[in-house]
Amino acid sequence: FQIRYAGAADSSIQFIFYQPIIHQWRETDFFPCSASCGGGYQLTSAECFDLRSNRVVGDQYCHYYPENIKPKPKLQECNLDPCPASDGYKQIMPYDLYHPLPRWESTPWTACSSSCGGGIQSRSISCVEEDIQGHISPVEEWKCMYTPKMPVVQPCNIFDCPKWLAQEWSPCTVTCGQGLRYRVVLCLDHRGMHTGGCSPKTKPHIKEECIVSTPCYKPKEKLPVEAKLPWYKQAQEMEEATAVSEEPSFIPEAWSTCSVTCGVGSQVRLVKCQVLLSFSQSVADLPIDECEGPKPVSQRACYSGPCSGEATEYTPEGPEFLYGSLQEFDELYDWEYEGFTECSESCGGGVQEAVVTCLNKQTRETADETLCVTSRRPPQLLKACSLDPCPPR
């Protein structure tokens, strides 16, 4: 086309072009008659036709154009001549609202081939027709070809199968040497819910041996148990490791290393109130007042061998000599406890540590620690504090 334009300078012209329809529905010929004699029926269908290549293509190409309306199937009677072996011919009932077209019918889906992890279920499909009295009977499949055939196989139970989930290992049941540790193993489904169905053959083990690097041994007592100075009390007997039970009980942890490398020092340890939760096989901490009975000591003196200048071996007279020299040693400066530090916790049970200072005995003033004898420094002293339970979160 040709345009001669003489409009205003700010005018515009819009050209709209429509793509020609190249795919169109085409009605098929009638299918074969349903009966060779005595009266039957035959149907037509529709197919999508490419106008350029003159060939049949997939139905989806004809859905692109709203102008394309798929023709409905047609039905006509055929082969009305009576059959030779009969006295008359078969009466043909016209198809109308009261006599529906043949249709696909399916059986229920079979059970899934797998309970999880993806399976398959199937069903059978058949073409049936219904007469005026409502009786349904199977017919040849071509009579139902005017509608798509329903799928006969589908996937099912595509969610993941239950899997074992192992929790973290518990602490070793001993504080030295070889012991055992435990963990909880759960069977969880694809929603994370505790369930069954996991294979016992693949279940992770719930118990294994463990070794604590601290060796188990009884230290040699180089000083008598009955010491003349209060901080020389020796409590070095090995304590049996207390296993957590289903009753609340005091469970002491391992002793710390000695506070000094020679002479007399101190050791501390944490003592917890714990209980074993049988249903989950896990250990829970409780407030200290939940446990009954005497609480194990949380600090003790320790002896790390002689310091330079001291006797390397002690004879029966050795301790008397050592203690006599300590008692006769009346220097101007000596160690004393002076109050406690602030509590380590504001609630739920904490610890306060005694403050040790070097004092001038005459003036009662604090002096430099180097003026006091290191071997006579009292051990670390701890006490519980803020025992009230914490408020709920």
Side-chain angles (χ1 to χ4, degrees):
F1 57 87
Q2 183 177 9
I3 292 178
R4 183 177 180 182
Y5 175 63
D10 58 351
S11 298
S12 62
I13 296 178
Q14 183 179 15
F15 299 97
I16 300 177
F17 300 90
Y18 293 95
Q19 182 182 358
I21 293 178
I22 56 176
H23 298 103
Q24 212 163 25
W25 291 110
R26 185 175 68 173
E27 192 172 32
T28 65
D29 295 331
F30 280 98
F31 287 103
C33 191
S34 63
S36 59
C37 64
Y41 60 85
Q42 54 190 165
L43 289 163
T44 65
S45 184
E47 57 192 10
C48 188
F49 191 72
D50 190 319
L51 300 176
R52 298 172 302 177
S53 61
N54 291 325
R55 62 187 180 90
V56 178
V57 295
D59 287 359
Q60 67 269 21
Y61 290 100
C62 286
H63 295 320
Y64 294 148
Y65 310 101
E67 299 92 341
N68 274 347
I69 299 175
K70 187 175 183 179
K72 294 183 178 179
K74 292 180 181 178
L75 182 74
Q76 70 178 16
E77 299 170 347
C78 55
N79 292 346
L80 299 179
D81 296 332
C83 296
S86 64
D87 296 331
Y89 61 88
K90 178 182 176 183
Q91 183 181 6
I92 301 299
M93 302 302 298
Y95 276 76
D96 53 24
L97 294 175
Y98 304 101
H99 196 175
L101 290 172
R103 66 181 183 273
W104 295 110
E105 275 205 352
S106 64
T107 60
W109 289 105
T110 61
C112 194
S113 61
S114 178
S115 61
C116 61
I120 293 177
Q121 55 185 170
S122 60
R123 64 181 176 181
S124 59
I125 304 295
S126 59
C127 183
V128 299
E129 67 176 350
E130 184 178 349
D131 60 20
I132 279 195
Q133 286 78 29
H135 299 134
I136 297 176
S137 57
V139 295
E140 297 87 345
E141 284 197 355
W142 64 264
K143 296 180 182 180
C144 291
M145 295 306 292
Y146 67 91
T147 57
K149 192 174 181 179
M150 295 181 288
V152 295
V153 177
Q154 72 175 10
C156 53
N157 293 343
I158 57 176
F159 50 83
D160 292 336
C161 293
K163 295 179 181 178
W164 293 112
L165 177 66
Q167 307 285 347
E168 292 185 3
W169 286 106
S170 70
C172 202
T173 55
V174 297
T175 58
C176 68
Q178 186 171 349
L180 295 173
R181 63 178 186 172
Y182 299 85
R183 64 180 175 182
V184 177
V185 176
L186 303 174
C187 181
L188 301 182
D189 62 14
H190 63 286
R191 299 165 298 178
M193 303 293 290
H194 184 41
T195 182
C198 295
S199 171
K201 295 180 181 179
T202 61
K203 183 177 182 179
H205 57 283
I206 62 172
K207 178 179 71 173
E208 71 176 15
E209 293 183 352
C210 53
I211 297 178
V212 179
S213 57
T214 306
C216 294
Y217 65 93
K218 186 172 183 179
K220 296 179 181 179
E221 294 183 358
K222 296 186 179 180
L223 287 177
V225 173
E226 298 262 346
K228 294 188 177 181
L229 297 178
W231 54 85
Y232 275 146
K233 288 186 178 179
Q234 297 293 310
Q236 301 287 2
E237 301 86 15
M238 287 302 297
E239 297 183 8
E240 291 293 331
T242 307
V244 183
S245 66
E246 295 184 9
E247 292 293 327
S249 54
F250 287 114
I251 306 296
E253 295 187 356
W255 288 104
S256 68
T257 56
C258 198
S259 61
V260 295
T261 56
C262 69
V264 179
S266 62
Q267 291 175 289
V268 293
R269 65 177 176 182
L270 282 178
V271 178
K272 296 182 178 179
C273 179
Q274 294 181 326
V275 66
L276 177 66
L277 305 177
S278 58
F279 67 93
S280 62
Q281 288 297 304
S282 60
V283 177
D285 293 337
L286 299 175
I288 292 297
D289 55 4
E290 291 287 335
C291 289
E292 297 180 355
K295 181 181 177 182
V297 295
S298 57
Q299 65 115 27
R300 70 181 182 187
C302 55
Y303 180 69
S304 302
C307 296
S308 59
E310 294 181 2
T312 56
E313 285 193 20
Y314 293 104
T315 61
E317 295 80 16
E320 293 299 327
F321 173 78
L322 172 64
Y323 300 142
S325 64
L326 287 173
Q327 286 179 332
E328 294 168 4
F329 191 72
D330 189 14
E331 281 190 300
L332 183 62
Y333 302 97
D334 202 1
W335 302 101
E336 283 194 19
Y337 290 115
E338 270 201 355
F340 286 85
T341 60
E342 290 186 8
C343 193
S344 62
E345 304 290 341
S346 60
C347 61
V351 176
Q352 285 179 293
E353 181 181 352
V355 179
V356 180
T357 57
C358 181
L359 288 182
N360 185 313
K361 288 186 176 181
Q362 294 180 356
T363 63
R364 308 301 298 171
E365 293 179 354
T366 304
D368 189 276
E369 291 191 357
T370 58
L371 298 176
C372 289
V373 181
T374 305
S375 61
R376 296 181 62 178
R377 185 188 182 103
Q380 184 183 34
L381 182 61
L382 304 176
K383 74 173 183 177
C385 56
S386 299
L387 299 180
D388 294 332
C390 293
R393 297 191 178 189

